[in-house]
Amino acid sequence: MPHHTSITAVPVSDEKAGPYGVAAGPDGAMWFTTVHEGAVGRLGLDGEITSYALPDGDGGPTVITPGPDGALWFTEYKGNRVGRITVDGEITAYERPGAGPYGIAAGPDGAMWFTEMHTDRIGRISPEGDLTEFTVPVEGGFPSAIAAGPDGRRLWFTLNQGNAIASIDLSGEVRVYPLPTEAAGPVGLAAGPDGAMWFVEIMAGQVGRIDAAGTITEFSLPDRAARPHALAAGADGAMWFTEWGANRIGRITVDGSQIDAYDIPSGSSEPHGIALGPDGVLWTALESGALGRIEAR
C-alpha cells in the first residue's frame, strides 16, 4: 500500500473545455480529449500544452488510446466518428453515422476495436482503414468501454444498460456475462496485473473483477454514491479508478482486501479517464480543465 499519495492538477484547457479521456502517447507525452471543445490535446514532458482542433467542434471526443501504428486513436461520440491523430497532429476521421462510438482499444490483431453505443455493435478498423462490424446479442445494451484481454485472443467490453460484461474474439464471437448486482451500470474496464479484467459499476458504487472463465467478483466501495467511472492498472500492481461523483481517486488491491480513496485538492473536478504514464505515474482527466498527476509513494 502506498504510504503517501499526492494529486496535482496541471491546467491544460479552459475549464469549460472538459478534458475527458487521457492516454500515454508513443512520444512520452500525455494526450487527452476535450469533450466540450472538440479538440485533442497534448501535454509534453516539458509541460508544453498543444491543442489540435477537430474539424467538427461539436463532435464530443471522448476516449483516446495509443494504437499499434504509433498514432493515437479516439472516438467522437456525438460526431459519430472514429479519429486518428499522429504525434505531429495530422488527423484522419472515419465516419460511423448513427453509431455513437465510445470505447476504443488496440486489439491483439493489430487493428483498432471500438464500441457503438447506439447500434449494439462492436467495430473493427484494420490498419488499412477497412471497417468490420459485429452485432452484440443484447438489444439496447449500450456497449461502452472496451479493452484487450490478457490472453491475446479476446477483447472485453461493458454493457452499461445490459448490466453485463462481454467478450469478443477475433472472429467476432460474443459471450455475455450478466452481473450479479442489478442495475449496476458498468462503465470503465481494464486488464489487471492478475490476468483478470477489472471494471467499475457507476450506479452500484462497486468495482468488479471477471476472470477468463467468466467468474465475477464484486467489491463494494466505502462510498456507494461515489460513481466510479474509469480505471487502470497502476505501476504498484493495484487497480486505480476515478470517483466521478465524489471528486476522488480510488485504489483497490487485486485481492480486494484493501480499498483506499484520495481526495482531489481542487473541488468539483469531475475526474473521468485515467491512464498510466510512461514514467509509471498515473494521470486522470479532470473535466474542470486539468490533468491530475497521481503520485503514490
Side-chain angles (χ1 to χ4, degrees):
M1 174 180 174
H3 296 292
H4 177 71
T5 294
S6 63
I7 303 172
T8 304
V10 181
V12 293
S13 71
D14 180 273
E15 62 181 14
K16 296 180 180 180
Y20 190 94
V22 63
D27 55 350
M30 297 305 296
W31 289 73
F32 57 95
T33 57
T34 48
V35 65
H36 303 308
E37 187 180 53
V40 173
R42 177 186 183 274
L43 175 63
L45 293 171
D46 57 359
E48 182 180 356
I49 301 163
T50 309
S51 181
Y52 300 97
L54 301 178
D56 178 4
D58 296 322
T62 46
V63 177
I64 186 168
T65 192
D69 55 353
L72 284 297
W73 289 74
F74 59 93
T75 53
E76 291 184 75
Y77 166 67
K78 292 182 180 179
N80 295 301
R81 284 181 291 270
V82 172
R84 176 185 184 272
I85 183 169
T86 68
V87 294
D88 296 322
E90 182 181 345
I91 298 169
T92 306
Y94 299 90
E95 302 285 341
R96 296 302 313 128
Y102 181 79
I104 188 166
D109 57 348
M112 300 303 297
W113 294 69
F114 60 96
T115 58
E116 298 184 1
M117 290 198 290
H118 294 163
T119 63
D120 297 323
R121 294 172 181 170
I122 301 298
R124 175 188 183 275
I125 296 180
S126 73
E128 296 76 31
D130 297 325
L131 176 70
T132 309
E133 293 175 308
F134 304 98
T135 300
V136 177
V138 179
E139 186 176 355
F142 222 58
S144 302
I146 188 168
D151 61 2
R153 297 192 299 270
R154 289 186 287 176
L155 293 96
W156 294 77
F157 57 97
T158 53
L159 290 168
N160 179 259
Q161 297 299 304
N163 206 52
I165 306 299
S167 69
I168 183 169
D169 66 19
L170 301 183
S171 70
E173 181 182 352
V174 176
R175 300 178 186 177
V176 178
Y177 306 90
L179 294 179
T181 301
E182 294 183 6
V187 186
L189 171 120
D194 57 344
M197 298 301 294
W198 286 75
F199 56 93
V200 290
E201 300 173 357
I202 194 169
M203 300 302 295
Q206 297 183 146
V207 175
R209 176 188 184 275
I210 183 168
D211 64 19
T215 302
I216 296 171
T217 308
E218 295 172 312
F219 306 96
S220 297
L221 301 181
D223 179 3
R224 299 293 292 276
R227 297 183 69 81
H229 183 271
L231 80 168
D236 59 348
M239 300 302 294
W240 292 73
F241 53 94
T242 55
E243 295 188 0
W244 175 70
N247 202 53
R248 290 190 296 254
I249 300 298
R251 176 186 182 272
I252 183 170
T253 55
V254 291
D255 62 1
S257 64
Q258 183 69 42
I259 301 175
D260 300 294
Y262 306 96
D263 291 327
I264 298 172
S266 52
S268 301
S269 298
E270 295 190 72
H272 284 281
I274 186 169
L276 189 66
D279 57 355
V281 173
L282 284 158
W283 290 81
T284 182
L286 308 177
E287 196 168 345
S288 58
L291 295 187
R293 181 180 169 89
I294 308 161
E295 293 187 85
R297 295 186 292 275

